[in-house]
Amino acid sequence: MGTPEFAPYAVSEHNTRGRLVHEDAPSGRSEFQRDRDRIIHSTAFRRLEYKTQVFVNHEGDLFRTRLTHSIEVAQIARSIARRLKLNEDLVEAISLAHDLGHTPFGHAGQEALNTCMKDYGGFEHNLQSLRVVDVLEERYAAFDGLNLCFETREGILKHCAPENAAKLGAVGERFLKQQRPSLEAQIANLADEIAYNNHDVDDGLRSGLITLEQLSTVRLFAQHLEQVRHNHAQLSERRVIHETVRRMINTLVSDLMRETEHNIRTQGLKTLDDVRQAPPVVAFSAEVKVLSRELKSFLHTHLYRHYRVMRMSAKARRIIGDLFGAFMEDERLLPPQFQHLAEVDRARAVSDYVAGMTDRYAIREHRRLFAVEEE
Ligand code: MG
């Protein structure tokens, strides 16, 4: 495949560290397009549709789910990658896969499962995303998982504690050597933050859990809101919100592109290896970083800790805790493929099963196991 015009420090088919299991080069598409395509066809990817981002999937049809979140991340990351002449297929693959390891019920689910797993090596969603693409997907004749390229796997493993990194081989090395991942991975990481800060504002307003008045204390929001109201006096509230959010995304993305181009220049990056040795390059300017943090902390206080979200979190903790306890007590309650995994490591098998559940599957499974009047 002819490589599009990439910058010399971009990841490409010429400098990739390849796949764990050798495969012939794809015809008619690039290696990273193949990764992206495998992710889209995976079971874990389809499950994202029914996994909570902030709001439980069945609370409303218009809130973001992990699937629409991941698509928004990919959209933002691709725009940035294209402008910087980086590998757009790779950022798309990383973006679409970055949340594959998430439990049902958002962060509450992840915390609950981590608590259940504390004596068995813990649970961490980044590591789980890697486990999904490396081990858990059962689709191909020649290997477990999706056998993705090193750079896609490296991008999926956004964070990792040193004790876990040491067990992961090459893909964990950078956490031990204090090196950076590719620019494509760095972009997907910040595109994630841009996406959720903005769509959580939109979902938060739509749900009525936060109000425009409250958000007027957040500078990034207030500046753009004022602009919209100044330019369009008679606009409906829904359009005011969307116009404000899209301007915020634009400000964040433009700032990130400018600052990153500046860092690439001043650090004199020439190769992918330079990227790995340099400090983080993909970044907001100092000024916008402060504004973005302000928005993030607003959402923490007013949305993620809203009593209605907390109630959902409490229920999620109970469901995850109950399911984990029941399967740990008797692994014969697990579906057969997880019973096999349980022969090697019962806790990890239970955690894999529970983490893979969608919100509604977890609720149904809980009912099947605990409600005497049913089934
Ligand atoms: Mg995410």
Side-chain angles (χ1 to χ4, degrees), residues 53 66 69 73 98-99 158 192 196:
Q53 182 69 25
R66 292 247 171 239
H69 161 70
V73 174
H98 84 285
D99 273 351
K158 192 159 68 176
D192 184 22
Y196 67 66

Side-chain angles (χ1 to χ4, degrees), residues 316-333:
R317 270 196 300 278
R318 211 163 300 133
I319 292 174
I320 300 267
D322 285 350
L323 290 175
F324 187 87
F327 295 126
M328 282 300 276
E329 203 175 294
D330 187 352
E331 86 264 24
R332 292 169 306 176
L333 303 181

Side-chain angles (χ1 to χ4, degrees), residues 243-261:
E243 282 290 338
T244 307
V245 170
R246 87 178 177 100
R247 282 169 163 80
M248 284 202 296
I249 296 175
N250 195 37
T251 296
L252 294 168
V253 168
S254 311
D255 180 80
L256 186 84
M257 286 173 177
R258 264 196 313 274
E259 186 68 14
T260 304
E261 281 176 329

Side-chain angles (χ1 to χ4, degrees), residues 16 48 75 129-130 163 166 273 278 294 337 345 368:
T16 176
L48 294 177
Q75 178 273 314
S129 297
L130 187 66
E163 60 271 25
D273 210 44
E294 199 177 282
Q337 70 266 37
D345 182 341
R368 278 194 284 258

